[in-house]
Amino acid sequence: MKIKLFLVFLILHLFVLTGCWNRVELDRRAIVAGFGADKAEEEGKIQVTVQVVDAGEIKAIPLARGGSMMNAVTVYTGTGFTAFDAFRNLSMVIGEKLFLSEVRVLVVGEELAREGLDKVIDFYERDHEPNIRDYLIVVKGGEAKEVLETELRINKIWAYGIDSMIKTTMAHSKAPATEIIDFLKAVESKTTAPVATVIHVLRKGNEENAGEGKSNQDGTTAVQPKELKVSETAVFRHYKLTGWLDEKESRGLLWVTGKVKSGIIVVSSPEKEDKLAAIEIIRAKSKIKPEITDGNLIINIDVWEEGNLGEEQPDTMDVSKPIVLKELEERKKTVIEDEISAAVIKAQELNADIFGFGEAVRRKYPREWKQLEDQWDEIFPTLEVNIAVDAKIRRTGKITKSAEPKP
Amino acid sequence: MLEEGRISNRQAAFLVITTILSTTSIGFLPSMIYQEAAQDSWISILLLTVYGIVVGRIIMSLGMRFPDKTIVEYAEIVTGRIPGKIIGFLYVLFFLYLNTFPIRFFGELSITFFMPETPLVFFLIGIIFAAAYAVRSGLEVIARANEIILPVSLTIGIILAIMLFPQMEIKNFIPMLEKGILPVFKGTYVALVYFAETIVMVMFIPYLNTTRRTRGIIFKSFVVISLCELLAVVSTIAVLGELAARIPVPAIFAARLVSLAELIERVEPLFLLLWVIAVFVKVSVFYYCFVLATAQWLNLKEYKALVLPAGVLLTVLSVVLWGNIADLYEQMVKLVPYFVFVEAVLPLVLLVAACLRGKGGTAGEN
């Protein structure tokens, strides 16, 4: 009897343990790798581009066989009144339900960014599938569609290629790697201006490549040979794009926010001004210290940086001498200060507190902040900012002097 | 006696810990507190701990005056037959009604974060069925199951917090008391209900296997509760900052952000596991209290016959009481005074009355 009951119990499990209600088998799922949003041509509508992974194509077709084996994705575009609407409308074309959990990059076209990212971000945050740790990228002078349609060599799933391009910004520190959650945190703050990573579409010289455009998986859209480049910073006020920082200013921003991980600083050699030396950044730290003296608000930025000499163009410089390194440190310091002040000036021009100075003041002077808070838009553009950089060179690589022809 | 099982002091403390922690630390509470107290939520938690200990002491002092009776039984002794019946009925209703919140919330959370198209009632039946089984098996079984569940869930919780460590920013807590002390009290207020859930002890005291050292139950459990609560609140605020106010379940949201060396990512199923087992205990505890209190109130000889009808009642109530999730949140805040009345004020009144009228053993605790 007991055994029979137990069997009934086991059979009951068949009904309970079969999985979720809305399960979709892997082969019936259209896995999205990259999500793009643009302003549609039709007024008031949004155009959504998705890069869908062809699950069968991921299993490597050997590279050596030639052909366009770099396509493991298909790109679809659709429009709708809101992002979610447009996204769901895509299923009309694709015939499968799209699955957003594997998305790694949210690409937004410049036009939509100028109109406001609120039209995309809320959906992205509210829906249960997307991850708000995806990267947020703005296309400078272009559309997200264009970016997602660009064939990349580094990864068969192109959007993941973009993802690794952003991860690599830490090697040069000329663009921030902004996750959606960072953007949201800045939006939530009353004064901080959000930033986002910028991507450029580089169209290669058309003459030699003309007519060589490769076709997509579906064989409909011809793709011009293009390249993508991740650099620079998009600056927002609340949800709206207001301006850009160039590479130098971008690094200035990263110095202040303490996000410089690595990169190269080029200085002129102390011995011969036309010769250059390249110094690799190893680590850096920063601190924003607001100070109120006699009712005047001053922001002090302290940056500490440590690096190694990575290259010098052969000249008479003898880097085994401490005094030479001192001189190089001085020059490096000037370059860093330059980058930071360029960023500060640009931010003040745009009246966008990308560094979070306001938040720093709020933390240190909560009482005074209550008055400053509402006038921050007037205060920030004329704020006095002191930059103090402490730059060190620790090592000079495997050799001391470079090889020189003996006179 | 309706219940033959006996539980130890430690098991009682464990039950209190799981009951309180399951909804407060990993549920909606950190967000509710944050909406009011912002970066000072942790001060609210400290205040709540004090409040919880005080209420717990009242409940224990009251219960230990009648060490072999539950509140439904001794309310009649203290206040007389008719008022006693009314008070008993109040507790019957209370145990039923308060339980619908975690049940419904369990369903809502599972739907929002994991299975948006599954009908709500499937989750509710699932958890209530499991709880019904536990309740039928008796108090001792619930307590023993919890002895396994609590350490497991605490371990998962601590692992989650450790995995979030790289993303924590201490600056989210500065400046302290930015808007004065008032928001801290407001943050304390919304959570009063949950920190007085020691009220379940009024049903458990007769089934403790010893009358000695019962004072420690409250204090020890609140040390654990307070620490875990602080861990939960501090780590969610440190990770999410101001985002925590907009997210009903910040802990699960934070769990989604875990990313260790690009290897350990999206660990929220771990969180779901923690949530399911902890809520299961909480639901079982209140379910049990409701069934036992009803049986005693009606002078029944056996409570097991009530388990299934009570389960049906719970399922239906959890579905029909709130039309949508906004309703649920609103009610949670609106009902605070009523719940606090039943959980804290009424026991205090009963305690004072019992003292004045000299009812019950004066020896009390220890």
Side-chain angles (χ1 to χ4, degrees), chain A residues 128 133 185 188 362-363, chain B residues 178 239 246 256-257:
Chain A
H128 72 295
R133 290 204 64 189
K185 278 182 182 167
E188 291 261 348
R362 177 182 149 231
R363 290 197 177 100
Chain B
E178 192 182 13
V239 172
R246 289 193 295 119
R256 287 200 151 192
L257 302 180

Side-chain angles (χ1 to χ4, degrees), chain A residues 60 165 171 195 267 366:
Chain A
M165 283 163 84
V195 293
V267 299

Side-chain angles (χ1 to χ4, degrees), chain B residues 280-324:
Chain B
F280 159 72
V281 172
K282 176 168 189 152
V283 169
S284 310
V285 164
F286 275 99
Y287 194 165
Y288 176 81
C289 287
F290 167 65
V291 171
L292 186 68
T294 314
Q296 287 177 338
W297 194 70
L298 297 171
N299 294 325
L300 302 182
K301 286 202 181 64
E302 171 65 56
Y303 73 83
K304 284 183 178 155
L306 293 173
V307 172
L308 277 181
V312 175
L313 193 61
L314 274 175
T315 318
V316 174
L317 282 180
S318 316
V319 176
V320 299
L321 278 178
W322 307 283
N324 54 40

Side-chain angles (χ1 to χ4, degrees), chain B residues 42-362:
Chain B
W42 59 274
I43 306 177
S44 295
I45 300 289
L46 294 182
L47 289 179
L48 283 164
T49 309
V50 175
Y51 165 80
I53 291 176
V54 170
V55 173
R57 298 278 295 136
I58 293 172
I59 289 166
M60 288 306 282
S61 311
L62 177 64
M64 291 317 287
R65 289 182 81 90
F66 307 92
D68 54 351
K69 290 193 170 54
T70 68
I71 198 163
V72 182
E73 293 166 322
Y74 60 69
E76 286 179 45
I77 301 176
V78 175
T79 60
R81 196 173 146 72
I82 300 298
K85 277 288 177 202
I86 294 172
I87 292 173
F89 188 58
L90 216 58
Y91 278 97
V92 170
L93 279 186
F94 168 78
F95 286 129
L96 175 69
Y97 190 34
L98 190 64
N99 205 3
T100 54
F101 283 93
I103 294 174
R104 174 64 179 257
F105 200 84
F106 166 77
E108 294 289 350
L109 179 126
S110 313
I111 290 177
T112 308
F113 282 89
F114 298 99
M115 304 166 192
E117 283 149 39
T118 310
L120 174 69
V121 73
F122 275 73
F123 292 105
L124 304 189
I125 290 176
I127 192 116
I128 290 174
F129 194 75
Y133 183 67
V135 172
R136 252 189 93 84
S137 312
L139 180 60
E140 217 174 293
V141 172
I142 301 177
R144 283 189 188 167
N146 185 46
E147 267 185 306
I148 302 169
I149 287 174
L150 180 67
V152 169
S153 42
L154 285 187
T155 316
I156 297 177
I158 290 168
I159 290 175
L160 280 176
I162 292 172
M163 289 200 288
L164 280 168
F165 192 73
Q167 290 166 54
M168 294 189 189
E169 284 178 274
I170 275 312
K171 65 178 189 192
N172 284 344
F173 294 97
I174 319 172
M176 257 173 74
L177 297 177
E178 192 182 13
K179 300 206 170 73
I181 192 83
L182 197 65
V184 176
F185 286 122
K186 280 187 184 162
T188 312
Y189 173 77
V190 294
L192 286 183
V193 179
Y194 306 99
F195 275 72
E197 276 171 354
T198 29
I199 192 73
V200 294
M201 285 306 295
V202 297
M203 301 305 291
F204 292 164
I205 283 171
Y207 309 118
L208 293 176
N209 61 8
T210 166
T211 49
R212 294 177 56 244
R213 309 177 75 83
T214 45
R215 187 190 306 229
I217 296 177
I218 297 299
F219 188 72
K220 281 175 197 153
S221 46
F222 266 94
V223 168
V224 178
I225 290 167
S226 188
L227 286 178
C228 297
E229 197 70 26
L230 280 177
L231 180 73
V233 167
V234 166
S235 51
T236 42
I237 296 175
V239 172
L240 293 173
E242 279 165 61
L243 255 60
R246 289 193 295 119
I247 301 161
V249 200
I252 193 167
F253 204 86
R256 287 200 151 192
L257 302 180
V258 167
S259 170
L260 287 184
E262 291 182 35
L263 200 68
I264 303 171
E265 277 182 344
R266 308 212 58 153
V267 293
E268 65 264 25
L270 204 62
F271 180 92
L272 187 68
L273 172 69
L274 160 69
W275 168 249
V276 170
I277 59 178
V279 166
F280 159 72
V281 172
K282 176 168 189 152
V283 169
S284 310
V285 164
F286 275 99
Y287 194 165
Y288 176 81
C289 287
F290 167 65
V291 171
L292 186 68
T294 314
Q296 287 177 338
W297 194 70
L298 297 171
N299 294 325
L300 302 182
K301 286 202 181 64
E302 171 65 56
Y303 73 83
K304 284 183 178 155
L306 293 173
V307 172
L308 277 181
V312 175
L313 193 61
L314 274 175
T315 318
V316 174
L317 282 180
S318 316
V319 176
V320 299
L321 278 178
W322 307 283
N324 54 40
I325 191 144
D327 253 5
L328 182 64
Y329 290 136
E330 203 193 57
Q331 293 288 310
M332 269 177 211
V333 181
K334 249 191 189 166
L335 290 171
V336 171
Y338 305 102
F339 282 145
V340 168
F341 174 75
V342 179
E343 285 175 341
V345 180
L346 207 50
L348 181 64
V349 172
L350 284 176
L351 178 63
V352 172
C355 286
L356 291 180
R357 303 183 65 182
K359 303 279 178 169
T362 39

Side-chain angles (χ1 to χ4, degrees), chain A residues 133-182:
Chain A
R133 290 204 64 189
D134 295 342
Y135 288 116
L136 177 65
I137 314 161
V138 177
V139 190
K140 189 174 181 181
E143 281 198 324
K145 181 170 187 267
E146 226 176 321
V147 169
L148 288 176
E149 278 174 354
T150 306
E151 190 172 328
L152 287 182
R153 289 271 146 195
I154 41 175
N155 199 318
K156 281 184 165 186
I157 302 165
W158 306 334
Y160 289 2
I162 299 175
D163 176 73
S164 51
M165 283 163 84
I166 295 173
K167 290 209 169 84
T168 321
T169 53
M170 57 167 279
H172 52 75
S173 298
K174 283 175 179 169
T178 322
E179 290 170 2
I180 294 172
I181 186 169
D182 301 330

